[in-house]
Amino acid sequence: MPLVSTRQLLDEAAKGGYGVGAFNVNNMEQIQAIMEAAKETNSPVIIQASRGARAYAQDKYLYHLMLAAAELYPEIPLAMHLDHGNSYETCVSAIELGFTSVMMDGSLNADGKTPATFEENVAVTRKVVDYAHPRGIAVEGEIGVLGGVEDGHGAGGSGLEHLTDPDQAVEFAERTGVDSLAVAIGTSHGAYKFTKKPDGSVLKMELVVAIHKRLPKTHLVMHGSSSVPQDLQDIVNQYGGKLKQTWGVPVEEIQLGIRNGVRKVNVDTDSRLAITGAIRKVFVEQPEKFDPRDYLKPARAAMQKVVAQRMVQFGQAGHAGDYKAISIADMAKGYKDGTLSTKPEVAKK
Ligand SMILES: [Zn+2]
């Protein structure tokens, strides 16, 4: 299947009542792991690259690896998404390269660290939407600020400092016309999200419920949603790693979100842990090995396993064949003639 827009994937997910995992990549093995997991579970999929990934791998490598994935797996709907665009220019460069959807994270200033004002966020996000939609590209915005730092992006601190306000979420969706909305509900980027199994005092799932009530048709996005499973932490530490005990977002909380309008779930840390654990195991058990394939192969398999699990848990498994790709050119027409709505349905309080 040609690369499709996340808007189509998320519209279909809303019809089917499921969520779609958006998995971060930096290299070929991670893309291969995700595509094999998608094939194994018959799942539509979003692959996303951060600015850090684009700098690490170079845009062209990433783009052509994605094209290869689309070519090799014609039965899988696949979207290529820019994670945390920090400025209008970054989003434009991703669209010019061939990304089929972008996130404009206007919750922070272009430095990727300082929280922006609401008005600044609306203005830059609207500007990206005005550039993207006529080209058939979907836009994710963010309202509220997530915790933690990943790939040099983030305000740091806990995820509780700038939670999303449901009234502001409504105004933001109305004024920007975004296709999906990332919400800050206490989650953080990176491995160290929570210092104990999160309860309602740190993970504000009730905010998702409240925002979904006001914006029943808007696709919500959960960032920082790795579950950081104990067994993956244990493998890393068993083979010489020194991770401090940490907790992620429990899968059942993500599933509660999915029942309340969450359509895109961002996962990165779980993949990283799976890869690192598998590589450490080979290094400890077979120190005579020196062919990178000897450890990258099990690393890729370990990532495939956790990604496939998430695809089943998010409900996207089994849905790859539900629909045909809408071309990006036809998405552009849809935005123009209004068949792709950008005016959110707003319910009264
Ligand atoms: Zn994020």
Side-chain angles (χ1 to χ4, degrees):
M1 206 175 272
L3 293 172
V4 299
S5 163
T6 51
R7 172 66 186 264
Q8 185 187 10
L9 290 191
L10 302 186
D11 283 350
E12 291 289 340
K15 276 189 230 162
Y18 58 89
V20 181
F23 302 96
N24 285 77
V25 296
N26 301 281
N27 63 23
M28 180 183 75
E29 283 78 7
Q30 290 179 306
I31 294 175
Q32 290 174 325
I34 295 165
M35 293 314 293
E36 279 298 301
K39 185 181 170 187
E40 180 191 328
T41 60
N42 193 30
S43 297
V45 67
I46 300 167
I47 298 186
Q48 59 186 13
S50 65
R51 274 187 301 136
R54 291 173 67 188
Y56 170 81
Q58 290 193 29
D59 283 343
K60 283 284 176 196
Y61 281 116
L62 282 179
Y63 179 61
H64 286 277
L65 286 168
M66 299 286 189
L67 284 188
E71 207 174 294
L72 289 168
Y73 300 81
E75 72 284 13
I76 304 289
L78 162 64
M80 180 177 177
H81 178 75
L82 170 71
D83 192 20
H84 290 285
N86 63 318
S87 66
Y88 173 77
E89 289 74 22
T90 301
C91 292
V92 167
S93 75
I95 293 167
E96 281 176 346
L97 182 74
F99 280 70
T100 54
S101 89
V102 295
M103 177 191 193
M104 177 61 231
D105 179 359
S107 72
L108 300 175
N109 287 323
D111 66 3
K113 291 182 177 65
T114 322
T117 67
F118 179 74
E119 289 301 326
E120 286 167 339
N121 189 358
V122 167
V124 70
T125 306
R126 178 79 236 178
K127 196 173 165 195
V128 171
V129 167
D130 288 342
Y131 180 85
H133 282 177
R135 291 164 175 80
I137 304 302
V139 180
E140 173 183 331
E142 175 170 322
I143 178 78
V145 182
L146 287 142
V149 180
E150 192 163 58
D151 282 355
H153 182 99
S158 100
L160 292 169
E161 286 162 33
H162 307 276
L163 295 167
T164 303
D165 170 65
D167 290 331
Q168 274 200 342
V170 170
E171 189 184 340
F172 184 82
E174 285 181 319
R175 288 175 60 190
T176 59
V178 288
D179 300 276
S180 59
L181 189 57
V183 290
I185 54 171
T187 62
S188 298
H189 293 116
Y192 299 101
K193 299 180 192 302
F194 301 110
T195 51
K196 60 184 171 76
K197 187 170 184 214
D199 57 22
S201 67
V202 287
L203 180 60
K204 305 285 182 189
M205 292 308 295
E206 73 273 13
L207 268 181
V208 172
V209 176
I211 296 163
H212 179 57
K213 272 210 182 104
R214 301 291 312 282
L215 292 167
K217 296 282 169 63
T218 299
H219 306 315
L220 303 181
V221 182
M222 276 174 74
H223 279 244
S225 288
S226 279
S227 299
V228 198
Q230 190 63 48
D231 59 329
L232 293 184
Q233 294 183 52
D234 289 346
I235 293 173
V236 172
N237 285 342
Q238 186 187 338
Y239 295 101
K242 288 203 167 67
L243 295 173
K244 281 180 282 178
Q245 179 62 43
T246 178
W247 281 265
V249 182
V251 168
E252 61 270 22
E253 301 293 342
I254 297 170
Q255 290 168 332
L256 170 70
I258 291 169
R259 290 194 295 278
N260 288 279
V262 170
R263 298 294 159 231
K264 177 171 174 281
V265 185
N266 288 7
V267 173
D268 189 358
T269 296
D270 288 353
S271 307
R272 295 176 173 197
L273 287 174
I275 287 170
T276 299
I279 290 177
R280 281 191 170 280
K281 185 167 189 286
V282 174
F283 283 177
V284 168
E285 288 182 345
Q286 304 173 78
E288 73 283 4
K289 297 280 190 195
F290 64 92
D291 181 339
R293 290 172 296 187
D294 288 331
Y295 50 86
L296 291 178
K297 230 172 143 179
R300 188 171 62 186
M303 177 168 162
Q304 181 183 335
K305 189 174 160 204
V306 71
V307 169
Q309 263 174 5
R310 295 290 175 268
M311 287 170 164
V312 170
Q313 289 161 335
F314 299 163
Q316 74 207 82
H319 288 287
D322 290 359
Y323 48 93
K324 292 228 170 343
I326 300 173
S327 73
I328 296 301
D330 282 342
M331 294 296 292
K333 280 185 207 146
Y335 286 118
K336 196 167 176 218
D337 67 22
T339 43
L340 286 171
S341 160
T342 54
K343 295 221 179 347
E345 194 178 304
V346 180
K348 287 207 188 79
K349 272 199 246 188

